[in-house]
């Protein structure tokens, strides 16, 4: 958007600069633009005598350069609307990362005017009106098309509702020492391509299917065989060497038709079309061969099925991905999440709730979960000793000891039935291939979302279905593996 090394001759920039360090940055940007031939106009938000530190130093510089600079007053907000409309770009340097609460007047009216006029806005460090560490927006907030954040990404830029106001995020290098980057925000990581490509295993020509794990998907009750099929196919598309779908015996013929590459296996069923409470014995042969279990896609919530799940959790040490109905059953049998005798086994569990399932597990409302996604995910992970993948816009991944990961990929096209089943199968696939629970979780979330983003570029988000993801996932993985190989 702004390239300070290029001529900006004739371009008009309207720069809103507050009295703090953020405003100081705005003055610096403005004078560099002026030196590149741009027409710049500054609006400061209080009397110059109240500017301090770098903001005061740089305000004096632009005054010495005799650049146009006016002061915002309670009664003159409307007088700047024409200037905002004429600007090729508005630069928001009003509030910095220390902002909390609600912008006061006349700043609130100024922000509202900028948004209503709709000219492109670049935010310096963070859109003004957003809380940097939470993404909370309690009042008016600048809606930017690009945010240039200094040194390191800020958490609020990637969490809703803040993520809806940031536009493209560019991290500006201001030469922070490497040791400061590793200490600052060390409990939080934004998942990126390098992180995921580094976690993915390389494949040698001498390897065979037995080297890439065996995923067993347990689910697919009456009316929901498609869920188990999607999870099974996702496990295959993620690279698992073998996949078996365990289906209630009444529905086994249906599943066998749906799944041609994955194996299928019948489990003793209940009268209602689910799993019988004693069916673990009927699938013991499969369990003994499994590297990881994905339990929950189309699983059902019958009491007999709930009994089977409890029996399974109490009597297996196999790594687990628990999704959908398996999570709903856990809300009724929460002792399984706190039973001390299961503590070591739970470290091998990955829970993948959407906000509604998370709310039921935590005993709070969905709005409470959404208001503090980071906090609830971290608390649940610590208390239960599991890896939690809290799905939604900016999926959160956290383990019992931390750190916490924020996934930046994905789009509204994922708001479609079956996409969660694909994610569960994908995480299970990576777990079966040897990734640690947290690695499998954040890699699965990132690749799942990136596949959706690639599809959106080709076809848009409306009408995206889970089956589309299955075709795109191998392409995304192949590109990430290529990135890893180039870095060797």
């Amino acid at each position: 958007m702004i390239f300070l090394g290029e001529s900006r001759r004739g371009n008009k920039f309207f720069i809103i600069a507050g009295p703090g360090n953020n405003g100081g940055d705005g003055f610096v940007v403005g004078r560099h633009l002026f030196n590149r031939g741009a027409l710049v106009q500054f609006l400061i938000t209080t009397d110059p005598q109240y500017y301090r530190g770098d903001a005061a130093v740089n305000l004096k510089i632009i005054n010495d350069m005799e650049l146009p600079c006016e002061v915002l007053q309670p009664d003159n907000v409307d007088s700047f609307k024409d200037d905002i409309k004429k600007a090729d770009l508005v630069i928001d340097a009003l509030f910095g990362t220390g902002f909390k609460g609600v912008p006061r007047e006349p700043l609130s009216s100024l922000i509202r005017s900028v948004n209503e006029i709709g000219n492109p806005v670049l935010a310096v460090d963070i859109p003004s009106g957003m809380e940097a560490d939470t993404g909370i927006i309690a009042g008016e907030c600048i809606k930017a098309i690009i945010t240039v954040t200094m040194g390191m990404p800020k958490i609020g830029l990637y969490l809703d509702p803040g993520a809806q106001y940031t536009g493209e995020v560019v991290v500006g290098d201001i030469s922070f020492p490497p040791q400061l980057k590793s200490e600052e925000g060390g409990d939080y990581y934004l998942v990126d391509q390098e992180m995921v490509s580094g976690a993915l295993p390389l494949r040698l020509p001498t390897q065979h299917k037995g080297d890439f794990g065996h995923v067993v998907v347990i689910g697919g009750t009456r009316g929901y065989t498609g869920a188990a099929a999607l999870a099974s196919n996702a496990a295959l598309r993620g690279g698992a060497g073998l996949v078996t779908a365990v289906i209630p015996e009444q529905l086994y013929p249906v599943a066998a038709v749906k799944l041609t590459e994955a194996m299928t296996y019948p489990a003793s069923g209940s009268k209602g079309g689910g799993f019988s409470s004693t069916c673990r014995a009927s699938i013991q042969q499969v369990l003994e061969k499994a590297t990881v279990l994905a339990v929950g896609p189309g699983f059902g919530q019958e009491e007999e099925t709930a009994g089977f799940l409890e029996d399974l959790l109490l009597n297996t040490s196999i790594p687990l991905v628990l999704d959908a109905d398996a999570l709903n059953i856990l809300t009724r049998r929460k002792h399984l999440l706190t039973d001390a005798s299961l503590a070591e086994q739970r470290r091998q569990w990955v829970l993948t709730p959407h906000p509604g399932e998370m709310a039921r597990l935590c005993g709070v409302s969905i709005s409470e979960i959404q208001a503090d996604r980071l906090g609830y995910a971290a608390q649940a992970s610590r208390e239960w000793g599991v890896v939690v993948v809290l799905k939604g816009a900016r999926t959160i991944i956290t383990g019992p000891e931390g750190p916490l990961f924020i996934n930046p990929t994905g789009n509204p096209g994922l708001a479609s039935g079956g996409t969660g089943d694909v994610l569960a199968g994908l995480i299970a696939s990576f777990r079966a291939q040897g990734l640690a629970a947290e690695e499998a979780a954040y890699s699965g979330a990132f690749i799942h979302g990136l596949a959706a983003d690639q599809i959106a570029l080709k076809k848009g988000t409306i009408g995206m279905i889970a089956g589309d993801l299955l075709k795109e996932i191998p392409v995304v993985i192949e590109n990430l593996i290529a990135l890893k190989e180039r870095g060797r």
Side-chain angles (χ1 to χ4, degrees), residues 74-401:
D75 58 354
N76 71 348
V77 174
D78 288 346
S79 66
F80 298 106
K81 287 185 176 179
D82 283 343
D83 297 314
I84 296 170
K85 289 177 183 177
K86 293 175 183 177
D88 295 302
L89 184 72
V90 177
I91 296 178
D92 163 33
L94 180 53
F95 302 133
T97 56
F99 173 82
K100 301 284 184 184
V102 177
R104 297 179 180 178
E105 291 292 355
L107 302 179
S108 180
S109 293
L110 176 63
I111 292 172
R112 186 164 53 251
S113 293
V114 170
N115 289 341
E116 288 174 350
I117 290 169
N119 277 16
V121 179
L122 179 148
V124 176
D125 217 14
I126 194 163
S128 294
M130 179 194 303
E131 294 188 10
D133 55 351
T134 64
I136 290 174
I137 295 171
E140 299 291 344
C141 180
I142 288 287
K143 194 170 182 64
I145 64 166
I146 187 169
T147 298
V148 179
T149 192
M150 305 304 175
M152 290 173 286
K154 313 305 183 291
I155 295 172
L157 299 175
Y158 299 95
L159 298 176
D160 277 336
Q164 300 176 35
Y165 288 75
T166 60
E168 179 187 355
V169 177
V170 175
V171 180
D173 184 3
I174 54 175
S175 300
F176 279 169
Q179 64 270 24
L180 177 60
K181 285 190 175 184
S182 65
E183 294 169 5
E184 186 75 20
D187 290 336
Y188 302 91
Y189 290 90
L190 183 70
V191 185
D192 61 18
Q193 288 190 344
E194 287 74 18
M195 186 184 300
V196 175
S197 66
L200 294 176
L202 293 173
R203 299 200 169 201
L204 302 176
T206 55
Q207 289 180 298
H208 56 82
K209 63 186 178 184
D211 294 321
F212 305 119
H214 187 168
V215 175
V216 173
V217 176
I218 304 177
T221 53
R222 184 172 296 164
Y224 296 97
T225 54
L230 284 167
S232 299
N233 284 324
L236 287 169
R237 293 292 190 176
L242 296 165
V243 176
T244 299
V246 173
I247 310 289
E249 56 191 353
Q250 305 97 311
L251 300 168
Y252 172 74
V254 176
V257 171
K258 286 179 177 288
L259 292 166
T260 54
E261 289 87 1
M263 296 174 285
T264 51
Y265 196 89
S268 60
S270 67
K271 292 181 180 179
F275 293 89
S276 74
S277 59
T278 59
C279 83
R280 182 172 62 88
S282 71
I283 62 170
Q284 189 60 35
Q285 180 181 354
V286 175
L287 296 178
E288 290 172 356
K289 298 177 181 178
T291 311
V292 61
L293 306 181
V295 186
F299 193 56
Q301 298 185 52
E302 290 182 350
E303 199 55 33
E304 277 205 66
T305 297
F308 163 54
L309 178 64
E310 180 161 353
D311 182 31
L312 185 67
L313 298 183
L314 289 171
N315 293 285
T316 183
S317 58
I318 304 170
L320 288 159
V321 177
L322 297 171
D323 183 46
D325 284 337
L327 301 176
N328 291 323
I329 290 171
L330 283 179
T331 65
R332 309 199 307 261
R333 304 198 177 199
K334 289 191 70 172
H335 62 278
L336 295 168
L337 292 171
T338 55
D339 187 337
S341 68
L342 288 174
E344 192 59 34
Q345 290 167 239
R346 284 198 300 270
R347 300 180 70 84
Q348 303 296 321
W349 295 4
V350 178
L351 276 58
T352 59
H354 59 54
E357 291 160 346
M358 190 68 171
R360 290 190 286 274
L361 284 165
C362 296
V364 299
S365 67
I366 295 175
S367 60
E368 288 175 287
I369 294 292
Q370 294 295 71
D372 188 13
R373 288 169 55 81
L374 295 174
Y376 277 106
Q379 180 181 349
S381 188
R382 287 193 302 267
E383 289 185 0
W384 303 334
V386 300
V387 172
V388 171
V389 179
L390 178 52
K391 296 182 288 194
R394 302 299 184 263
T395 291
I396 306 299
I397 304 99
T398 185
E401 284 87 31

